Amino acid sequence: MNVPATDDLAVLRKERFIVIILAAIQVAHILDFVIMMPLGPQFMRVFNISPVEFSTLVSAYTFSAGIVGFFGALYADHFDRKKFLLFNFSGFIIGTFMCAISPNFGALLAARIIAGAFGGVLNASVLSLVSDLIPYQRRGAAMGVVMSAFSISSILGVPTGLFIANAFDWHGAFYFICIVGLIFWIAAYFVLPSVKIKTEPRSFKSNLMNFKSILIQKDYIQAFTLTSTLGFGIFMIVPFISTYIVRNVGMPEDKLPLIYLVGGIGTIITARIVGKLCDKIGSYAVFRVTAVISIVPILLLTNLPAAPLWIALIVTSLFTMFGSARFIPAMTLVSAVVKPEERGTFMSLENASRQLSSGLASQGAGLILGSTAAGALTHYNVVGLVGVVTSIVAIFIALRIKNKFNLR
């Protein structure tokens, strides 16, 4: 039996602590985003807005994240990774505080744009640090932990945020996120190591030329397309799950936290399993299986009629578990494409393209969906079909990446 050396154990413990802190940061900014979905029925009622206007409120965050992330990629590899992360985390907390004090729909929309501008770059910074600090042979498991932040947000954050929103009003949910963010900011300041990138100082013109060369690389474009396709498919569906479950399936609004609680618990389990399987049998093999399986709950959810609570919970949980599981092997594959010295720029561009595609999907879904006189959503099955098609397309894109870089 091989016993790991003491130095190896110390390295593993250090890596584990770093991954936990990065996952905590993901929890904070993902919570800020996902809290919008269960608050959808409340926003539509309080502000008297249509599905299209609500989709604008959701997509404002992702469009802002995508646009700012695109330009932020110009300098992403010219700063210490830790300092860059803390700067964007600070801006994100300020933007979320502006959401908390927003008096009306217009102010909230503006605040969502500011929060998204920093939140999107923050996401890219976290993924860059995972790739910088964790070797590829252990990166799948690390990505699994970091990507399980969505589940943790769903289990702990969303029910707590909804409880606060129901006890007071929707403003309270954003105050709660600000407090969580400040705690994690302090932890990151003291725990994360500095990661200085060795790049030569460049003029704006030469930096722009380098940015252009990265942007047009065929391999990089293929990687961007993979995650953007997945993001587009999932965000045709996700923003309207709560509204559909309440208005069409018949779940009481006060039971909505159960969707995020049950689905989050299931996703934490699958995320850890999927991450370890990526390291053991290969990321592409895991991606192909999870992408195919995800088609079933997509079709079930978007065609679900009025049903008992337990059926709704099973369907939404399966959708959440396998919809998010696909991103773990996908991001592990994508992380192997980029050169270390270009990782910050690459991850910023990857995040920007994914956020823009998600924003387009949210806006597109709002245009496709309608509502009956009784308030039930119509054409939700159509956005489900889009989700199915994107899953199939993503499998072929991932296969090309796997073959090009001889990955498992």
Side-chain angles (χ1 to χ4, degrees):
M1 178 178 178
N2 294 325
V3 179
T6 303
D7 289 346
D8 292 339
L9 288 174
V11 169
L12 291 173
R13 280 196 294 265
K14 183 179 179 181
E15 287 180 2
R16 190 175 296 118
F17 205 30
I18 288 170
V19 168
I20 289 171
I21 294 298
L22 292 174
I25 296 170
Q26 289 285 75
V27 167
H29 89 78
I30 289 174
L31 176 57
D32 180 77
F33 180 70
V34 300
I35 197 69
M36 294 295 294
M37 269 62 91
L39 288 175
Q42 192 172 142
F43 283 132
M44 293 172 75
R45 183 177 65 253
V46 171
F47 295 133
N48 192 28
I49 57 176
S50 67
V52 174
E53 290 169 309
F54 175 66
S55 67
T56 300
L57 198 59
V58 173
S59 61
Y61 184 102
T62 52
F63 278 135
S64 177
I67 294 169
V68 173
F70 183 83
F71 289 104
L74 278 168
Y75 291 97
D77 286 316
H78 296 273
F79 296 97
D80 181 298
R81 297 265 199 247
K82 176 181 176 178
K83 292 179 180 178
F84 194 59
L85 180 144
L86 291 175
F87 170 78
N88 287 290
F89 203 1
S90 300
F92 162 78
I93 293 170
I94 292 170
T96 303
F97 179 74
M98 293 177 66
C99 294
I101 61 175
S102 296
N104 52 48
F105 176 80
L108 180 60
L109 182 63
R112 296 306 294 160
I113 292 172
I114 294 170
F118 290 99
V121 181
L122 179 61
N123 180 58
S125 298
V126 168
L127 295 176
S128 294
L129 278 167
V130 172
S131 299
D132 285 328
L133 299 172
I134 310 299
Y136 184 77
Q137 62 268 27
R138 294 193 293 274
R139 199 175 297 161
M143 284 289 185
V145 174
V146 171
M147 301 292 276
S148 68
F150 180 89
S151 311
I152 297 170
S153 298
S154 300
I155 294 171
L156 302 177
V158 172
T160 304
L162 285 176
F163 174 79
I164 294 170
N166 290 331
F168 301 96
D169 61 16
W170 61 266
H171 298 272
F174 291 103
Y175 283 119
F176 166 67
I177 297 169
C178 288
I179 294 170
V180 171
L182 282 171
I183 293 171
F184 293 158
W185 190 100
I186 294 169
Y189 178 83
F190 287 106
V191 172
L192 292 181
S194 293
V195 180
K196 296 181 180 179
I197 309 303
K198 295 179 180 179
T199 55
E200 295 296 326
R202 296 191 184 100
S203 65
F204 177 77
K205 183 177 179 180
S206 62
N207 195 46
L208 193 63
M209 293 299 294
N210 179 66
F211 173 77
K212 180 182 177 182
S213 69
I214 294 173
L215 184 62
I216 63 175
Q217 284 191 46
K218 185 178 179 180
D219 294 335
Y220 289 3
I221 292 173
Q222 199 163 244
F224 301 153
T225 304
L226 172 60
T227 55
S228 295
T229 300
L230 289 174
F232 187 89
I234 205 77
F235 277 94
M236 288 291 289
I237 302 166
V238 167
F240 295 94
I241 288 178
S242 295
T243 304
Y244 183 81
I245 291 295
V246 169
R247 296 185 178 183
N248 294 59
V249 181
M251 178 183 286
E253 197 170 317
D254 61 357
K255 300 294 184 183
L256 279 177
L258 288 174
I259 290 179
Y260 298 89
L261 178 62
V262 177
I265 292 172
T267 305
I268 281 185
I269 296 170
T270 54
R272 297 299 300 275
I273 294 172
V274 166
K276 290 179 179 179
L277 284 174
C278 287
D279 294 335
K280 186 175 182 179
I281 66 174
S283 295
Y284 173 72
V286 176
F287 176 76
R288 182 180 57 199
V289 171
T290 53
V292 170
I293 293 175
S294 71
I295 292 173
V296 177
I298 287 174
L299 291 173
L300 289 174
L301 173 62
T302 56
N303 291 275
L304 191 64
L309 177 63
W310 65 273
I311 291 179
L313 289 177
I314 290 173
V315 172
T316 54
S317 296
L318 289 173
F319 172 83
T320 304
M321 288 162 60
F322 288 99
S324 61
R326 303 176 305 175
F327 280 93
I328 298 168
M331 289 306 303
T332 306
L333 285 169
V334 163
S335 72
V337 172
V338 62
K339 302 171 186 175
E341 64 273 16
E342 297 174 342
R343 187 166 284 135
T345 300
F346 173 87
M347 285 298 185
S348 294
L349 287 171
E350 182 280 325
N351 183 73
S353 63
R354 179 162 41 85
Q355 295 284 4
L356 286 172
S357 66
S358 298
L360 286 171
S362 300
Q363 202 66 41
L367 294 173
I368 292 171
L369 296 172
S371 57
T372 64
L377 292 182
T378 57
H379 309 307
Y380 200 47
N381 61 317
V382 176
V383 299
L385 291 175
V386 176
V388 170
V389 172
T390 55
S391 296
I392 296 170
V393 171
I395 292 172
F396 289 101
I397 299 172
L399 177 61
R400 295 189 65 176
I401 295 174
K402 177 248 188 189
N403 290 338
K404 176 65 184 292
F405 291 90
N406 195 28
L407 301 171
R408 292 189 305 149

